[in-house]
Amino acid sequence: MALPQECLKYFANFIEAEVGIVYSEVNYYQLETRLTEIAKQIGLPDSEALWSQVQVAGIKGDIKQLVIDIATNNETSFFRDPNVFKLITKLAKEFAEQRSGEVFKVWSAASSTGQEMYSLAMTFFEIAQTTPFSYLIHASDISERVLARAQAGTYTQLEVQRGLSAMQLVKHFDQNLGSGDETFPWMVKPHLKRGLSFKKRNLLDPWNDLGTFDLILCRNVLIYQTVENKKKVVQKLTEHLNANGSIILGGAESLIGISDALEYVASESAVMYRKKPLSHVA
Amino acid sequence: MRILITDDSKAVHAFVKSVLEGTPYKLTHAHNGSEAVEILAKNAAAFDLMLLDWEMPILDGPSTLSQVRAKGITFPIVMITTKNDLESISHALALGATDYVMKPFTKDILIEKLGQYLGEGAA
């Protein structure tokens, strides 16, 4: 290992303070690999050179953003965990039936490069073809870089093959061959961008400009957080849920011991919690 | 369950074979569309899915696709091809392709597509 343990600890402490993600010492080798990638991205030879710069100027500006980027897991694909989208389809159809004329508001709280929100948009677009149904989707992520990708709605050839059928690709994507960015030749069609909004958000910071939602997707985010931060994030998510609104978490996540304002909704498809009526909260 | 892979590239045959090692799925190999049509004429019911290249000698992918569908064979046909433009994908779907994998593709992408049509056993 090129960087001394105490230097890696400095970066690990910074990441934990900024985004709540804990790097334990057994994972320091992984952190160092990622710091080396950052060093190369900004034109430095290795992680030691990065450390030298950080000692002088601190973790600020581009370096800060890159460190946050590497710490957050941007692994994603379209319709990741198809069962979750079956459940969301059911929830959206129920909403359309029971609350005709209202707008179904959804927040993709860790949207990464946008595959989750465009999967939601495809799902809702299809429902709206056969049923009167209006929706708004808000996407947020802590990383400006991935959020910019989400907003652009542009994808590589490999990305559009993860989770999308050829039928969905033809229906919802345009192709920019030869005249645009060769790295991201596929772009979502304008109809998928209707009703979307984007904002960089740290789930640990206050959000004063955010309304309330009928459904929040916060998948595979809490798993990286300390218990204290989990409680903080879940309490804030709950405040932004409409009455009877739901939160969908990742398949391996649970709120046992984290919140009593939400109740588990038994489902074979997904890990879902629903906001309890106020009178039922202990 | 059995997959008929029709491609003139030995490398593609080898790659798909390596991906499917250890899964319950068996491969039958055809190296152009004509071979595939002959194999299916003998016993189409033995197959659950076809992976089909586009550009091949003797009988190409689209002609093979048309002939196979014209014989009333309904199993999923997934194109695997370097023709990665939207027009070609739409054309293949119109001819009866079930899905489309653009080369180069990864093991994960192939596994995901097969899992979608053949069940989780492919994963």
Side-chain angles (χ1 to χ4, degrees), chain A:
Chain A
M1 190 176 286
L3 268 186
Q5 192 89 344
E6 60 267 28
C7 306
L8 292 168
K9 191 170 176 55
Y10 179 85
F11 282 103
N13 287 344
F14 173 83
I15 290 167
E16 184 173 348
E18 281 293 316
V19 293
I21 292 169
V22 182
Y23 267 96
S24 55
E25 290 186 10
V26 292
N27 293 324
Y28 275 7
Y29 74 95
Q30 195 182 23
L31 179 59
E32 169 139 35
T33 306
R34 291 178 169 188
L35 291 173
T36 303
E37 286 167 18
I38 291 180
K40 288 182 177 161
Q41 276 189 55
I42 59 172
L44 298 173
D46 51 32
S47 57
E48 285 173 310
L50 179 69
W51 173 240
S52 299
Q53 189 160 326
V54 163
Q55 279 178 298
V56 175
I59 304 178
K60 289 179 182 161
D62 287 349
I63 295 178
K64 178 180 172 182
Q65 192 58 55
L66 288 166
V67 169
I68 289 173
D69 281 359
I70 56 148
T72 50
N73 178 2
N74 291 319
E75 163 70 19
T76 184
S77 62
F78 290 100
F79 295 97
R80 186 178 183 187
D81 194 349
N83 283 334
V84 168
F85 286 89
K86 283 182 194 160
L87 177 65
I88 292 169
T89 302
K90 183 170 165 273
L91 292 174
K93 285 183 174 174
E94 283 171 2
F95 186 95
E97 275 172 27
Q98 294 163 12
R99 296 169 63 179
S100 171
E102 291 185 49
V103 178
F104 191 53
K105 292 180 187 162
V106 182
W107 176 17
S108 169
S111 70
S112 187
T113 41
Q115 284 90 333
E116 181 178 84
M117 70 176 313
Y118 290 117
S119 301
L120 290 170
M122 283 182 253
T123 303
F124 298 157
F125 178 83
E126 294 300 340
I127 293 171
Q129 298 306 294
T130 55
T131 312
F133 179 59
S134 301
Y135 57 90
L136 290 172
I137 305 169
H138 179 66
S140 69
D141 200 280
I142 194 168
S143 162
E144 272 175 18
R145 182 180 59 84
V146 298
L147 199 63
R149 287 256 343 261
Q151 197 151 6
T154 54
Y155 296 96
T156 66
Q157 184 165 297
L158 289 178
E159 284 170 335
V160 295
Q161 299 202 76
R162 296 297 308 277
L164 284 181
S165 69
M167 201 74 85
Q168 287 166 321
L169 186 63
V170 168
K171 188 166 187 178
H172 299 298
F173 287 76
D174 284 323
Q175 197 179 24
N176 191 3
L177 281 181
S179 56
D181 184 346
E182 295 293 320
T183 315
F184 304 110
W186 294 91
M187 68 200 78
V188 297
K189 286 185 177 175
H191 69 254
L192 282 194
K193 288 195 166 182
R194 283 182 213 132
L196 307 190
S197 61
F198 302 82
K199 179 131 188 185
K200 180 189 168 189
R201 291 183 196 282
N202 183 338
L203 295 180
L204 296 171
D205 287 344
W207 324 308
N208 300 322
D209 58 342
L210 194 63
T212 55
F213 298 88
D214 301 297
L215 176 65
I216 298 174
L217 276 79
C218 188
R219 299 194 290 161
N220 307 308
V221 174
L222 299 176
I223 203 166
Y224 299 110
Q225 304 284 340
T226 60
V227 171
E228 189 189 333
N229 282 342
K230 273 184 197 172
K231 287 182 179 174
K232 203 186 292 181
V233 170
V234 170
Q235 187 192 334
K236 289 164 70 189
L237 292 175
T238 308
E239 287 166 10
H240 289 275
L241 265 186
N242 286 336
N244 213 32
S246 305
I247 295 181
I248 292 180
L249 303 177
E253 294 173 312
S254 156
L255 296 184
I256 294 171
I258 300 295
S259 170
D260 62 2
L262 298 164
E263 60 190 355
Y264 180 71
V265 181
S267 161
E268 287 178 10
S269 311
V271 176
M272 185 166 84
Y273 287 82
R274 186 164 287 149
K275 193 171 188 175
K276 286 182 190 171
L278 275 178
S279 57
H280 292 193
V281 178

Side-chain angles (χ1 to χ4, degrees), chain B residues 6-77:
Chain B
T6 307
D7 198 303
D8 61 338
S9 160
K10 284 181 185 168
V12 172
H13 282 271
F15 177 69
V16 173
K17 189 180 170 200
S18 72
V19 169
L20 293 188
E21 260 169 18
T23 72
Y25 303 106
K26 306 293 175 204
L27 275 179
T28 295
H29 301 267
H31 300 89
N32 59 63
S34 182
E35 270 185 35
V37 169
E38 271 180 43
I39 291 168
L40 291 173
K42 286 178 192 159
N43 190 5
F47 296 94
D48 302 288
L49 183 144
M50 175 153 70
L51 294 170
L52 180 62
D53 188 16
W54 189 292
E55 290 170 300
M56 292 180 291
I58 307 174
L59 192 67
D60 67 11
S63 307
T64 308
L65 184 56
S66 300
Q67 288 194 23
V68 170
R69 289 302 190 217
K71 290 180 195 306
I73 295 170
T74 58
F75 58 46
I77 298 178

Side-chain angles (χ1 to χ4, degrees), chain A residues 77-78 157-167 169-170 173-175 177 186 189, chain B residues 84-86 89-90 93 98-106 108-109 112-113 116-117:
Chain A
S77 62
F78 290 100
Q157 184 165 297
L158 289 178
E159 284 170 335
V160 295
Q161 299 202 76
R162 296 297 308 277
L164 284 181
S165 69
M167 201 74 85
L169 186 63
V170 168
F173 287 76
D174 284 323
Q175 197 179 24
L177 281 181
W186 294 91
K189 286 185 177 175
Chain B
N84 59 6
D85 59 291
L86 205 48
I89 300 172
S90 302
L93 290 174
T98 313
D99 215 328
Y100 205 96
V101 172
M102 293 176 270
K103 293 175 182 170
F105 55 89
T106 63
D108 287 348
I109 288 171
E112 187 180 297
K113 289 286 180 201
Q116 200 178 331
Y117 297 108

